Amino acid sequence: MNKISLRERKKHETREKLIKAAVSLAVAHGAAKVRVEDIAAAANVSPRTFNNYFPSKEAAMLDILLQAGKLISNSINDISPDLSTDAAVRTAIISGFPEVPRRDWLSQVILMYNDPDLVLERRRIDGQIEIMAAKAIALREGVDEKRDIYPRLAAATMIATVHVAMEHWLSSETEDGFRETLGQVLDRVSIAHC
C-alpha cells in the first residue's frame, strides 16, 4: 500500500513539475517557441517521460483548464439532490476555482487567455469539458444526453459563462477575487434555463 501511494505521489510531483516548466517557459518565451524537449529539460526528465503525461506541450500548458472542468463535472452530482440543476451547476462551477489563487494558477490563466498559439488547444479542451459536463447534467436530470439537447446546451452555457467571467476579471481593474466575479456573472445567467 505504501509503495502505491509513494508511486502515485511521485507521478503527481512529476506531472506538476512538467506543468510548471511548460507554463513558465511559455510565459517567458511564448507557447510557439517552447519545445517538448525544453519542458522536459526544465523539469529534469526525458522527453519520453513528458509524452507519458501529456499528448502535447499545449496540453501541459493548459492542464489547469482540463482539471477545473473535470472537478466541476465530477461534483455536479455530488451536490444535494434537493437543489435544482441550475443551483447544483452554479455551486459546482464556483467550487471548481480556488478561493485565493496561487501565483502559478494566475500565470496559467493569463497564458491561456493571452497567448494566441493556445486558442486551438483551449477549444479542444472546452469540447472535452462540454461532453463531461453534459453527461453529468444528463445524469442529474435523468435524461439521455444524446437525445435531449438540454444537457449539452447547459454545459456549453456553463463553459461560456466561465470564459466571460475570466476575461472580464482579467481585463477589469476590479479588486474582487475571481470567485466573486464568477458569482456576479452567474447571477446574471441561468445555466439550466438559458
Side-chain angles (χ1 to χ4, degrees), residues 164-182:
V164 167
M166 188 64 74
E167 289 170 4
H168 176 73
W169 182 68
L170 289 171
S171 66
S172 70
E173 295 185 12
T174 182
E175 292 185 19
D176 292 342
F178 176 64
R179 274 187 166 191
E180 291 171 272
T181 300
L182 182 57

Side-chain angles (χ1 to χ4, degrees), residues 12-117:
H12 177 75
E13 288 170 2
T14 299
R15 182 180 182 81
E16 290 301 310
K17 283 186 352 187
L18 288 166
I19 292 167
K20 185 175 181 177
V23 171
S24 63
L25 288 169
V27 167
H29 308 290
K33 293 183 179 172
V34 177
R35 300 173 308 139
V36 167
E37 292 80 7
D38 301 327
I39 298 167
N44 203 25
V45 300
S46 71
R48 183 176 179 174
T49 297
F50 175 91
N51 291 325
N52 289 336
Y53 287 87
F54 298 102
S56 68
K57 65 181 186 176
E58 294 85 0
M61 293 170 189
L62 296 183
D63 186 68
I64 187 173
L65 178 61
L66 183 59
Q67 295 314 312
K70 285 179 179 178
L71 180 64
I72 292 166
S73 297
N74 291 339
S75 65
I76 287 171
N77 287 298
D78 293 339
I79 295 166
S80 171
D82 296 337
L83 289 178
S84 68
T85 299
D86 188 37
V89 171
R90 184 186 197 287
T91 301
I93 291 170
I94 296 282
S95 69
F97 296 94
E99 198 160 336
V100 180
R102 296 183 331 255
R103 174 173 278 166
D104 61 331
W105 182 87
L106 186 57
S107 295
Q108 285 180 307
V109 168
I110 291 170
L111 178 67
M112 176 177 20
Y113 284 94
N114 292 335
D115 194 313
D117 293 308

